Amino acid sequence: MDVNQKQNWRTILILLVVICLFVVVIFLLLLLPAFVETLLPNNSYVIEITGLSGLAVNGTATVMIPVPANAEGEPALSEGVLAGERQPVGWQAAIRETPYGKMLVFTTVDGYASDISIPFGEAETEKEPRLLVPVLSTPGNASVAEFTRASSGTYTTVVFLDGFVPSPEDAAPISFSLEYQGGGGMKHLIKGDIWTTTVDTTVPSTTSGFVPVPADYYVTAGGIMLL
């Protein structure tokens, strides 16, 4: 190999090294912001209860729905958030102990009922499965802890109605659309699992008392985020 060929190979090698270094620098510039970025986990409860407007109220009407909690029943949203200053129009919210456990109760403050539509949210740092409780039953009578370790499933929770006086010709159903979502977030390019529970059901407006309803639970698996 003559001198010119050696110089050509040396030049090519230098160019390859420069290109590799350039690619590494660009990659680090793109990767570093994402690596240091931290997104807090989600912790939200969206409540939509329709079919209440226009119903007559016998004194005071009451609606109770499940609350977000972990497998041990510890609340995922504080009472100060669920029953704080932010209230749905025409209702007063509170946390009440029931035969099935704690539930979120809405009580009318006027002589009539209106639909309930309100989102709740709070910062959350826990990394554990959460769902809507009370849990009345699970498939195969699994414990709540065992059930939440599955990727998805349907279990039975409960709602409550009392104090409504619908006329026979206006006995439209009351629709419950509840969605709790917790978890997620990201740290050092690692996404957390997201736990979601939804209740999407209707109950006759003539109903009074506790009503078992189905709830769907599913997990969106986290992992390393690809750029």
Side-chain angles (χ1 to χ4, degrees):
M1 183 179 294
D2 58 26
V3 175
N4 289 334
Q5 287 180 322
K6 288 183 178 180
Q7 289 179 341
N8 289 338
W9 279 110
R10 185 176 300 170
T11 301
I12 293 173
L13 182 60
I14 292 173
L15 287 174
L16 288 174
V17 171
V18 170
I19 291 172
C20 289
L21 289 174
F22 179 76
V23 170
V24 169
V25 169
I26 295 299
F27 179 76
L28 289 176
L29 288 175
L30 293 174
L31 178 65
L32 187 60
F35 185 79
V36 299
E37 182 181 14
T38 299
L39 299 178
L40 293 177
N42 186 32
N43 191 32
S44 63
Y45 190 16
V46 180
I47 299 166
E48 297 278 350
I49 306 174
T50 58
L52 299 172
S53 296
L55 295 179
V57 173
N58 184 14
T60 300
T62 301
V63 177
M64 287 196 284
I65 60 174
V67 295
N70 64 13
E72 287 72 40
E74 298 171 351
L77 289 168
S78 67
E79 185 171 347
V81 169
L82 294 174
E85 295 181 359
R86 195 162 182 268
Q87 302 280 329
V89 177
W91 298 87
Q92 178 66 48
I95 299 296
R96 182 179 299 176
E97 193 70 42
T98 75
Y100 300 104
K102 289 184 178 180
M103 297 182 70
L104 177 59
V105 55
F106 295 102
T107 306
T108 52
V109 295
D110 299 310
Y112 61 90
S114 58
D115 291 344
I116 298 173
S117 177
I118 187 168
F120 293 107
E122 187 174 22
E124 177 62 75
T125 58
E126 298 295 330
K127 297 181 180 179
E128 58 185 357
R130 284 155 269 163
L131 73 173
L132 293 176
V133 302
V135 177
L136 271 59
S137 65
T138 59
N141 293 321
S143 68
V144 177
E146 291 173 334
F147 177 77
T148 57
R149 286 195 288 268
S151 60
S152 63
T154 300
Y155 66 98
T156 302
T157 185
V158 66
V159 297
F160 177 91
L161 295 171
D162 187 50
F164 298 103
V165 190
S167 59
E169 66 274 9
D170 190 29
I174 296 173
S175 176
F176 291 83
S177 178
L178 316 174
E179 181 181 87
Y180 171 73
Q181 192 171 85
M186 182 181 69
K187 187 174 183 180
H188 300 325
L189 294 178
I190 299 177
K191 290 182 176 180
D193 292 343
I194 299 175
W195 300 281
T196 304
T197 302
T198 60
V199 173
D200 190 5
T201 191
T202 58
V203 175
S205 56
T206 52
T207 301
S208 180
F210 289 100
V211 183
V213 295
D216 294 319
Y217 168 85
Y218 59 94
V219 181
T220 303
I224 298 176
M225 187 188 76
L226 299 177
L227 295 178

